[in-house]
Amino acid sequence: MITRRQALQNVTLFGAALSAVPFVSLMSARAADAAAAGPFSLPPLPYPVDALEPYIDAKTMEIHHDKHHATYVANLNKAVAGHEALAKKTPEQLIRNLDELPEAVRTAVRNSGGGHVNHTLFWQMMKKGGGGQPKGALAKAIDKSFSSFDKFKESFTDSATKVFGSGWAWLALDSGDLKVVSTPNQDSPIMRSAFPLLGIDVWEHAYYLKYQNKRADYIAAFFNVINWDFVSERFEKRRA
Ligand code: MN
């Protein structure tokens, strides 16, 4: 029996088997049109595309949201077409129990449902004038789990730096503990029964226009746009 904790530690291995999944099929020029057809829709960005300048450029935000995220939504809609029961679930419900899905849709829901859930969170985890450090209960929990905010930052940065290929690094609640974990592709901590609080997208599409191969600079810049109010609220609600 694999415990939740072991499962999270194995999360990278678990994804390695998926590395052959072609992501090219997720990119479609007609993404926005197709996204409209189905139960899931593309949420608007909670701020203008240039709000995170100079840390994340407007062109990247525009393409990332309007094309990449839209394509995940479109492909999730395609995946659940003809599956009435699945179409009624929330995206989080769909990705929480992948094993229970019909095999024919499992990979598509994992990639596109994961992409939809991850990006919907990602936009909210950032804001203009963000950065700094969390306050209150989350600050205390971070100190307790990592010994200091700086140590947390170091761990999160290290995790994001070491994601091989495409994926995410997260601060997640796992069985009541704060942990830094990474996931490959569009996998979410939710798929491992953990709860994502903060995440950074380290797919090249998230930074390549401005940072090219300098992922480390993008990760450092990300700390200037983190919406700690959103992250703290998520943490407190989950704990309550
Ligand atoms: Mn992305």
Side-chain angles (χ1 to χ4, degrees):
M1 169 114 186
I2 293 180
T3 65
R4 249 187 236 182
R5 188 159 304 183
Q6 285 165 334
L8 253 187
Q9 283 163 348
N10 289 342
V11 84
T12 305
L13 278 177
F14 157 87
L18 262 197
S19 59
V21 172
F23 63 87
V24 177
S25 63
L26 298 176
M27 320 273 179
S28 153
R30 289 167 296 159
D33 294 341
F40 304 108
S41 56
L42 179 68
L45 271 183
Y47 35 69
V49 290
D50 62 355
L52 307 180
E53 292 267 13
Y55 305 108
I56 302 180
D57 60 291
K59 194 71 189 165
T60 294
M61 289 300 289
E62 185 188 331
I63 296 172
H64 200 173
H65 175 269
D66 296 1
K67 303 294 180 192
H68 291 276
H69 189 173
T71 304
Y72 297 124
V73 175
N75 286 339
L76 181 61
N77 279 330
K78 275 186 214 156
V80 301
H83 299 269
E84 232 173 88
L86 300 185
K88 284 182 189 150
K89 290 180 187 283
T90 66
E92 289 81 2
Q93 286 169 339
L94 279 175
I95 66 167
R96 189 168 291 133
N97 297 299
L98 289 171
D99 291 348
E100 291 170 11
L101 298 178
E103 210 181 329
V105 305
R106 197 175 299 150
T107 300
V109 170
R110 180 177 185 171
N111 291 334
S112 301
H116 181 32
V117 169
N118 289 344
H119 288 84
T120 299
L121 278 175
F122 186 54
W123 312 132
Q124 299 174 85
M125 289 163 170
M126 301 184 286
K127 70 170 184 181
K128 185 181 183 68
Q133 297 188 14
K135 300 180 191 110
L138 179 59
K140 276 185 197 150
I142 284 176
D143 284 347
K144 188 166 168 247
S145 296
F146 301 96
S147 85
S148 68
F149 179 80
D150 286 345
K151 291 283 183 200
F152 152 72
K153 186 174 175 181
E154 209 174 281
S155 172
F156 187 87
T157 299
D158 187 57
S159 182
T161 304
K162 287 179 176 162
V163 172
F164 183 73
S166 299
W168 294 72
W170 305 92
L171 172 66
L173 253 181
D174 177 29
S175 311
D177 295 328
L178 286 181
K179 288 197 184 146
V180 166
V181 294
S182 66
T183 56
N185 305 309
Q186 291 299 349
D187 282 5
S188 160
I190 294 172
M191 296 174 190
R192 285 292 169 254
S193 304
F195 185 79
L197 296 171
L198 173 70
I200 182 170
D201 184 347
V202 292
W203 283 58
E204 283 186 345
H205 69 224
Y207 62 87
Y208 209 84
L209 287 181
K210 184 177 172 74
Y211 295 98
Q212 293 84 46
N213 61 317
K214 300 183 286 285
R215 187 193 282 183
D217 291 356
Y218 159 68
I219 297 167
F222 173 74
F223 275 89
N224 294 304
V225 294
I226 294 175
N227 184 350
W228 283 114
D229 293 336
F230 174 79
V231 177
S232 294
E233 203 174 296
R234 227 173 129 68
F235 172 72
E236 282 167 30
K237 269 192 202 156
R238 181 70 179 186
R239 280 239 151 150

